[in-house]
Amino acid sequence: MGKIILENIKLFGFHGCMPEEAYVGSYYTVNIEVELDFSQASIKDDLSKTINYIHLYRIVKEEMAINSKLLEHLAQRIIQRIKKYRTNLIKYTKIKICKENPPLQSSVDRVCILLEDLRE
């Protein structure tokens, strides 16, 4: 077993429940972990036996471009797309999405959600 990890993907998006978040937007940081058996990929040096991290990045970028009220909803959409991409290989997926400088009355650097999905 192994993991493919994309750390600190930095994107801009329009997510949130407050009306101004839909047109002002905010910066987000996304981290993804995908666990799979890539023993065949490591032996055969064959991309088709693993998950292309460029494709994972593209999924995140495309889903971040679709407005959501909740980061939980956004995370679930990303996980579902990743599972569809290589459902036969993926054993576990974890995603962490952080909104940088959230619109709160106090000094908070970021607000994050973490969603994990274990393939059944």
Side-chain angles (χ1 to χ4, degrees), residues 57-104:
Y57 173 80
R58 190 174 300 134
I59 288 171
V60 172
K61 186 175 178 184
E62 289 171 1
E63 291 300 323
M64 285 293 294
I66 302 168
N67 296 13
S68 292
K69 291 179 185 170
L70 301 176
L71 296 180
E72 296 87 339
H73 177 72
L74 174 61
Q76 184 62 36
R77 286 197 334 253
I78 293 169
I79 285 177
Q80 291 308 311
R81 287 227 11 227
I82 291 170
K83 285 171 64 173
K84 280 184 187 178
Y85 167 54
R86 296 301 302 263
T87 191
N88 59 325
L89 291 177
I90 297 171
K91 306 296 182 209
Y92 168 82
T93 306
K94 179 168 78 172
I95 183 167
K96 179 179 176 183
I97 302 175
C98 299
K99 179 184 284 191
E100 307 296 330
N101 301 308
L104 297 173

Side-chain angles (χ1 to χ4, degrees), residues 42-59:
S42 64
I43 292 167
K44 297 181 180 188
D45 196 23
D46 184 353
L47 182 59
S48 72
K49 305 291 183 199
T50 187
I51 293 177
N52 187 335
Y53 59 81
I54 293 170
H55 193 74
L56 292 176
Y57 173 80
R58 190 174 300 134
I59 288 171

